[in-house]
Amino acid sequence: MIARLNILLAIVLVLSCVWLIRTSHESRHLFVELDKAQTQSHELQLEFERLQVDKRAQATPLRVEKLARDKLRMFSNSPTFTHYVNASAGSASAAASGGRP
């Protein structure tokens, strides 16, 4: 009877050791994954901040104006380039087309 109890206790001891080793390994594995995720989160945060700085640098008024002049061939508004439209000329053309634009 005591021999059976000793065998049963030995089996329980071995199973608890296996369970302890398995949970310890799983804990280490999860800790490594957590560390990797935190590192990736930090890198993504740095990249986001860098992109925000780049975005602010790209949207400066001088740069936008330069791109508008160079690529879109736009120019600054000045009285020499201003074209005025008469209200009567606009209404006359609208009346000629039957009131449709």
Side-chain angles (χ1 to χ4, degrees):
M1 176 81 173
I2 293 183
R4 286 184 184 173
L5 183 61
N6 286 340
I7 292 173
L8 180 64
L9 289 175
I11 290 172
V12 170
L13 179 65
V14 168
L15 289 177
S16 67
C17 288
V18 168
W19 179 78
L20 179 65
I21 291 169
R22 182 175 161 260
T23 56
S24 176
H25 175 71
E26 185 178 345
S27 173
R28 277 187 239 123
H29 179 71
L30 290 174
F31 182 76
V32 168
E33 284 185 20
L34 175 66
D35 189 44
K36 286 180 184 178
Q38 287 175 341
T39 302
Q40 184 180 15
S41 172
H42 182 68
E43 289 173 1
L44 289 173
Q45 184 65 30
L46 289 176
E47 183 178 355
F48 178 74
E49 291 171 5
R50 183 187 55 82
L51 289 172
Q52 290 290 356
V53 169
D54 288 348
K55 179 182 170 184
R56 284 192 296 268
Q58 295 291 326
T60 59
L62 292 176
R63 185 174 186 284
V64 170
E65 185 178 340
K66 184 178 184 295
L67 286 174
R69 269 187 276 115
D70 296 345
K71 290 191 177 185
L72 301 176
R73 297 181 185 171
M74 297 175 81
F75 51 89
S76 299
N77 190 12
S78 70
T80 59
F81 295 115
T82 304
H83 298 282
Y84 296 98
V85 178
N86 290 333
S88 61
S91 63
S93 64
S97 65
R100 295 183 210 142

